[in-house]
Amino acid sequence: MAWCSWLVPCIFLGCVGMFVYTMYVNDCPETTGSVNCVGFKQLGRFSFQPLSENVLLGPSSHTLQNLGGLNPKFVVDKDQTYRLLTYMWLHSGVFHLLANMLCLLFTGIQLEQEFGFLRIGILYFLSGCGGGLLSCLHSRTKDRVTVGASGALFGLLGSNFSELITNWTTYSSKCSAFTSLLTVIIVNICIGIFIPGVDQSAHYGGFFTGILLGFILLMRPQFGYVNGSYIHAAHDMKKKPKYMLYQHLLCVIALVAFVIGAVMGVSKLIRGETINLPLPGFNKS
C-alpha cells in the first residue's frame, strides 16, 4: 500500500514560509542600514544581512534567537525547552534552506509514501529533538544559536539505514541499496565536518535517534507473509509469522536504548553537564 505524501510537503512549506517571515522580522535596512544590506534595491525590507555577518544570505543570529533558535543557555537557564522544536523550522540563509529542503523532499516523500505520515512525522520531529538535545549537551557553555532541519533530516537518513537492516530480506539488490545509502550518509557527514559553522552535534544526535526509531517504527512484514484472512480455510497452507525474530529483537533493543538515552540526556541537561563523543568533527567549535 502506498500512502499519499502530504506531511513532508507541509513541512517544506512551513520552513519556506518561516524563512520569509524571519526575513520580514529581521528588517535589515532598519537595524543595519540599507547601504550595508545585500539586495536592498530588489528586496527592500527582506534584504539580507551583510556578507561579513552571514555568508549564507540570511538574517542576523539575534533575529534567529528571538524567533526560537536553539541556544543552550536559554534552554537550560531559562527553561525554554520549546526551542528543541522551534529551531528546526528556522534556517540561517537561502543556501542553508535550499540544501535542507532538497534533502527533505528527496528523502522524506519516499519514506512517507512507504510508511505513512504518522510514523514519519514521529520520526522526523523526535530526531530533530534528539539532535537539539545533543547540541545543547555538547555546547552547554557556549553562547551560540543553532537552527535548521538538519538534525531531523539526519534522522531520516539514519532511519533509512536501520530500515535496510531490519527489512533485509525484502530487498532484492541488497549490496547496491546498502552501498548507495552508505555513500549518501558519508557525504552528508563530511559536508558537516568541512563546512565552518555547522553544528555537527545536532547532525549526530538526529542520526542516532533516527537509527533507533527506524528499528522501532519502520519494520516491514517478512517476505512471503500472508495475512490469515486471505487464506482460504480449505487450503493447507503453513502461515508464516508477520515479523521475524531478529526484527522483534532489534525493535526491543532499540526501544530500550532510546528510552535510556533520552532519560540520560535530559537528566544531564538539567544538571548542566556536557558531553563529548569520539566522532569526526564533533568537538570542533
Side-chain angles (χ1 to χ4, degrees), residues 11-27:
I11 294 173
F12 171 85
L13 292 175
C15 289
V16 173
M18 193 64 202
F19 183 74
V20 173
Y21 177 70
T22 301
M23 296 310 304
Y24 174 82
V25 173
N26 186 68
D27 194 4

Side-chain angles (χ1 to χ4, degrees), residues 1-270:
M1 175 183 176
W3 279 271
C4 178
S5 176
W6 62 268
L7 178 62
V8 169
C10 284
I11 294 173
F12 171 85
L13 292 175
C15 289
V16 173
M18 193 64 202
F19 183 74
V20 173
Y21 177 70
T22 301
M23 296 310 304
Y24 174 82
V25 173
N26 186 68
D27 194 4
C28 179
E30 178 67 24
T31 58
T32 310
S34 59
V35 177
N36 300 314
C37 298
V38 178
F40 169 70
K41 291 183 178 180
Q42 296 79 16
L43 300 173
R45 182 187 182 114
F46 295 90
S47 55
F48 308 114
Q49 292 295 118
L51 294 179
S52 59
E53 181 181 346
N54 188 340
V55 297
L56 298 177
L57 297 180
S60 66
S61 58
H62 179 72
T63 299
L64 293 171
Q65 180 170 280
N66 288 343
L67 290 179
L70 187 65
N71 187 322
K73 292 186 176 181
F74 282 68
V75 173
V76 179
D77 300 336
K78 299 184 179 181
D79 296 323
Q80 296 181 359
T81 53
Y82 66 86
R83 291 179 181 268
L84 292 172
L85 277 173
T86 57
Y87 88 100
M88 67 182 79
W89 295 96
L90 301 168
H91 288 83
S92 57
V94 173
F95 298 123
H96 186 204
L97 177 70
L98 181 62
N100 278 354
M101 292 304 98
L102 287 175
C103 182
L104 173 67
L105 293 177
F106 281 111
T107 306
I109 287 180
Q110 179 183 354
L111 283 172
E112 187 180 354
Q113 288 175 340
E114 293 183 11
F115 296 99
F117 76 92
L118 182 60
R119 284 189 279 183
I120 298 307
I122 292 173
L123 198 155
Y124 180 87
F125 289 109
L126 285 184
S127 295
C129 289
L133 179 60
L134 188 58
S135 176
C136 287
L137 289 172
H138 176 241
S139 308
R140 170 68 180 84
T141 58
K142 299 176 183 178
D143 188 17
R144 61 180 299 179
V145 181
T146 295
V147 294
S150 301
L153 295 175
F154 265 81
L156 295 183
L157 290 176
S159 70
N160 264 314
F161 182 76
S162 50
E163 188 272 329
L164 176 61
I165 295 174
T166 196
N167 302 319
W168 186 254
T169 60
T170 65
Y171 281 84
S172 57
S173 303
K174 297 177 175 60
C175 291
S176 176
F178 181 80
T179 303
S180 299
L181 179 58
L182 189 62
T183 301
V184 172
I185 292 172
I186 291 175
V187 168
N188 277 274
I189 291 176
C190 289
I191 289 174
I193 292 175
F194 295 109
I195 294 180
V198 174
D199 188 352
Q200 192 74 338
S201 54
H203 290 180
Y204 284 129
F207 184 70
F208 291 136
T209 303
I211 288 179
L212 295 177
L213 290 175
F215 284 126
I216 300 168
L217 296 173
L218 305 186
M219 282 198 303
R220 300 179 194 267
Q222 65 165 309
F223 182 76
Y225 165 77
V226 179
N227 192 310
S229 61
Y230 295 104
I231 302 176
H232 195 276
H235 289 182
D236 185 16
M237 180 177 179
K238 186 178 180 181
K239 182 182 176 183
K240 283 187 175 183
K242 188 173 185 179
Y243 300 108
M244 299 181 73
L245 178 60
Y246 82 90
Q247 289 178 297
H248 287 294
L249 185 60
L250 287 173
C251 179
V252 171
I253 293 173
L255 180 60
V256 172
F258 175 77
V259 172
I260 292 176
V263 172
M264 290 181 60
V266 171
S267 62
K268 282 181 176 291
L269 189 66
I270 293 174

